[in-house]
Amino acid sequence: MSDLEPLPASRKFTVSRRPEKFADRITTRIWLEEPSSENPYVAKASYCHGYNILELASKRSFSDVIYLLFRGELPNEHEAELFASLMVSFINPGPRHAATRAAMNAGVGKTDPSNILPVALSIFGGEHLGSGEVEPALRWLRKNLKKSPQDLARELLHTVGSSDREGDFHVAPGFGSFYGSIDEMSSAIAEQLLRLPAAGPVMKWAAEFSKILNTAQMGWLSTGVVAATLADLGFQPRVAPGIFQIMSAPGLFAHGIELASKPLTAMPFPGAATTSSRSRRNEG
Amino acid sequence: MKDKKSAVSTSIWDHNRGVVRSNIGGWVIGKGVVNRGYEMMEDFVGKLSYMQVVIFNATGRMPERRLADFFEAVHICLSWPDPRIWCNNIGALGGTSRASALASTLAGTLATDARSYGIRPLLEGLAFIQDALRQYKEGMSVEDIVRKEAARHGGKPSMMGYARPIAKGDERVPALERVREEKGFPVGEHLALAFAINDHIAQVYSESINVNGYVSAFWSDQGYTPEEAYRIMAVGVSSGVTACYLDTRGKPAGTFLPMRCEDIDYQGVPPRELP
């Protein structure tokens, strides 16, 4: 790099404020707080997308109001049924999921209970069967919806072949093998959700896609079911990870707090790691 | 194990079930703590700087002390106690909410796993300068490298590491330049190219290199990959977040940038009847 000028010792660095215009106030389309006439910091009424929160609290379900928060409108009867059913179906990733085990580790260590969910949800953000997989899954489904699901599945299976891969393989985000085979639980959940009237074109497309994958011991994964259902309910891809975190949070916290009243010995502590690293103690 | 009906092999899971298999090492109770062939209590404690161990744990390679000192200087550069900076703001909000110091520090730190600022842009910063050097060696001029990047961003010189939010220029660059010179590191080919890009965009766009562009080039000269630099710097801002936590933790709860109802500009639908 001899033709590049070496750094002159006298190089000048100056720092000045960029003439950017920042907002005077935070804006939101979600929540309105009407100030009390006595104290401008105190709200006398709150509205979620125009609906009084007290009225919502007395007449609508938790899942309806979650839907309202993100979609701006309340769900109709069929949408409400599908969304509520999805949320119950994935209320708990189960005690073997890495995020649940993170919750358990946090719990058994007696962290503050308020720390359990942030810990667990951070791990749940992963791209392998976590919320990090549902956004790409939803984008992938929307991008491929016009293709034949059968042809695409065959093409992908042909492309990936049956190589000597170790572990699981996701042929597309949200779809693949689960411990080397079909994820029976996710398939059963998808089947049940598909029977509901609000199940739409994305779920139906993904079901056809999964059927072909089944021939290669692959199919729906939890993340694929969540992505396809949220797509049919009109949720944007960027919203999907948070919705998946919200629906799985109860199970994660339940397992974490269950361990919080138990001693450290309540969880396995395996033997020392078997390791192949050689000693470097006598190296120069 | 193979399931007879489906011929599904679960051997990789059976092999790892209930057994920790590590390529690194671990604690052997009563004997010591093995870390990639070293015994930590004997070989590390009191002999290495903490930052050397951080880099070793993040890359598997042991850096010389002066290089670890440079990384440490970068951590100081990211540890500003200004609660207007987004991650630090989270720390201050934790303090005013009486969240714990650790929860607040980690919450602010996690926010820097972001595209607009913080630690994640290092991935793009190192990738950019490494790719730019490859193109330069293939014959592309500095002007063309910048023009090509600008074309991808609507004509703006939006290379990662050049220009920054809020301000033009970056006071951390001359500070780290001083450290580099004091530690005796020469200007490598990535850093030389980074300064050439800096000079060009200063002339054409009135922009300049920022701390990301500078350290991305320097660390590329030291042989680090984008992912390695990102791992080493994972909690790079944490100390500044803690400082901002401390400031609001010492004041009455709920008094950090309090807002009246009217301070929020509501632009949604007006109040309506529930169907």
Side-chain angles (χ1 to χ4, degrees):
Chain A
M1 182 102 6
S2 56
D3 54 336
L4 285 170
E5 289 286 315
L7 180 72
S10 59
R11 177 178 291 276
K12 282 185 184 170
F13 294 92
T14 58
V15 183
S16 60
R17 172 127 194 184
R18 195 177 288 280
E20 285 170 321
K21 172 86 176 112
F22 284 80
D24 295 326
R25 292 192 295 165
I26 294 170
T27 63
T28 177
R29 301 176 65 82
I30 298 172
W31 204 265
L32 170 64
E33 290 181 318
E34 275 179 3
S36 151
S37 49
E38 302 293 317
N39 183 337
Y41 290 93
V42 172
K44 67 178 180 187
S46 297
Y47 300 85
C48 179
H49 287 288
Y51 297 121
N52 188 304
I53 192 66
L54 295 179
E55 243 191 299
L56 286 169
S58 65
K59 294 178 181 164
R60 302 304 290 246
S61 69
F62 186 49
S63 61
D64 280 2
V65 182
I66 291 175
Y67 184 100
L68 170 67
L69 266 172
F70 293 94
R71 299 281 290 112
E73 294 294 340
L74 283 162
N76 64 30
E77 183 191 346
H78 292 322
E79 289 165 340
E81 181 188 35
L82 179 61
F83 189 56
S85 185
L86 176 74
M87 292 199 72
V88 173
S89 301
F90 291 101
I91 198 166
N92 187 4
R96 295 179 300 134
H97 193 286
T100 315
R101 283 151 59 191
M104 292 170 165
N105 278 322
V108 83
K110 312 291 178 293
T111 186
D112 189 298
S114 297
N115 289 339
I116 291 175
L117 260 188
V119 168
L121 289 175
S122 297
I123 302 307
F124 197 64
E127 292 170 1
H128 179 75
L129 303 176
S131 65
E133 192 171 8
V134 293
E135 181 178 347
L138 210 156
R139 288 189 197 283
W140 184 87
L141 285 165
R142 294 207 318 189
K143 186 177 154 199
N144 289 288
L145 198 57
K146 286 187 179 157
K147 296 179 183 166
S148 153
Q150 292 87 355
D151 291 350
L152 183 58
R154 288 190 195 99
E155 183 190 321
L156 287 173
L157 288 177
H158 178 73
T159 309
V160 301
S162 57
S163 67
D164 297 328
R165 281 185 301 270
E166 276 202 316
D168 280 324
F169 183 73
H170 295 190
V171 71
F175 301 88
S177 64
F178 186 66
Y179 293 102
S181 55
I182 295 166
D183 179 356
E184 296 180 29
M185 201 59 233
S186 293
S187 302
I189 291 171
E191 236 173 78
Q192 175 159 296
L193 293 174
L194 274 156
R195 286 198 288 271
L196 299 177
V202 183
M203 293 171 70
K204 287 169 187 164
W205 186 97
E208 295 301 317
F209 179 73
S210 296
K211 250 186 230 168
I212 303 297
L213 297 184
N214 287 169
T215 61
Q217 289 297 331
M218 297 186 198
W220 288 105
L221 298 170
S222 55
T223 45
V225 180
V226 171
T229 311
L230 291 180
D232 275 338
L233 287 168
F235 286 86
Q236 293 300 312
R238 194 168 289 174
V239 170
I243 303 288
F244 192 27
Q245 286 181 312
I246 290 167
M247 67 178 81
S248 297
L252 292 170
F253 182 66
H255 283 292
I257 204 68
E258 184 183 32
L259 267 295
S261 56
K262 296 180 180 173
L264 281 171
T265 50
M267 285 181 74
F269 192 81
T274 60
T275 177
S276 54
S277 74
R278 66 189 175 82
S279 171
R280 296 202 256 193
R281 295 212 53 199
N282 298 320
E283 287 179 10
Chain B
M1 179 193 140
K2 235 172 192 186
D3 185 310
K4 281 179 190 166
K5 280 185 220 162
S6 60
V8 168
S9 169
T10 57
S11 58
I12 187 170
W13 296 286
D14 294 334
H15 178 68
N16 289 292
R17 187 168 165 243
V19 184
V20 176
R21 299 185 191 281
S22 170
N23 295 328
I24 300 168
W27 176 29
V28 184
I29 300 171
K31 290 186 179 169
V33 186
V34 179
N35 192 341
R36 295 183 190 274
Y38 293 103
E39 205 295 299
M40 284 190 75
M41 299 307 110
E42 291 291 327
D43 300 329
F44 289 6
V45 176
K47 294 174 181 166
L48 299 178
S49 74
Y50 175 64
M51 195 51 59
Q52 280 179 290
V53 179
V54 168
I55 297 168
F56 182 69
N57 280 338
T59 64
R61 302 192 303 281
M62 184 64 75
E64 55 180 324
R65 174 66 186 255
R66 64 179 183 143
L67 183 55
D69 289 348
F70 183 91
F71 270 98
E72 186 172 311
V74 179
H75 278 75
I76 295 172
C77 285
L78 301 186
S79 301
W80 295 7
D82 187 327
R84 294 174 305 170
I85 307 293
W86 303 273
C87 51
N88 292 349
N89 195 268
I90 294 168
L93 291 166
T96 204
S97 303
R98 300 297 187 259
S100 78
L102 216 161
S104 304
T105 300
L106 281 185
T109 304
L110 183 57
T112 65
D113 202 7
R115 288 201 303 270
S116 299
Y117 79 107
I119 304 301
R120 187 176 285 201
L122 282 173
L123 289 167
E124 207 182 315
L126 273 87
F128 166 73
I129 197 66
Q130 291 176 12
D131 193 45
L133 183 64
R134 182 187 55 74
Q135 295 178 74
Y136 183 79
K137 285 182 170 177
E138 287 171 2
M140 193 179 277
S141 68
V142 168
E143 292 75 15
D144 285 344
I145 290 169
V146 172
R147 196 175 299 125
K148 188 178 156 196
E149 275 300 303
R152 291 178 55 219
H153 299 99
K156 292 180 185 170
S158 298
M159 293 89 68
M160 188 54 80
Y162 304 82
R164 66 192 279 221
I166 313 292
K168 286 190 173 193
D170 195 327
E171 49 278 268
R172 295 165 292 189
V173 173
L176 289 170
E177 257 300 276
R178 194 185 69 234
V179 175
R180 181 190 64 73
E181 285 174 359
E182 284 171 6
K183 298 289 176 189
F185 289 107
V187 175
E189 47 186 7
H190 292 92
L191 191 53
L193 177 60
F195 278 124
I197 291 171
N198 175 64
D199 291 347
H200 177 66
I201 62 171
Q203 275 183 355
V204 179
Y205 301 99
S206 299
E207 292 289 358
S208 60
I209 191 167
N210 65 29
V211 68
N212 180 332
Y214 177 80
V215 298
S216 290
F218 177 74
W219 290 335
S220 294
D221 284 332
Q222 302 303 317
Y224 290 103
T225 66
E227 178 68 27
E228 285 174 340
Y230 168 77
R231 286 181 206 154
I232 294 166
M233 294 303 300
V235 297
V237 305
S238 63
S239 181
V241 180
T242 308
C244 293
Y245 170 86
L246 187 69
D247 197 24
T248 55
R249 184 66 180 78
K251 294 172 182 165
T255 57
F256 174 67
L257 292 178
M259 297 170 88
R260 293 181 171 192
C261 295
E262 71 202 43
D263 291 335
I264 296 290
D265 179 14
Y266 177 68
Q267 297 184 347
V269 295
R272 51 182 168 169
E273 291 298 315
L274 200 60

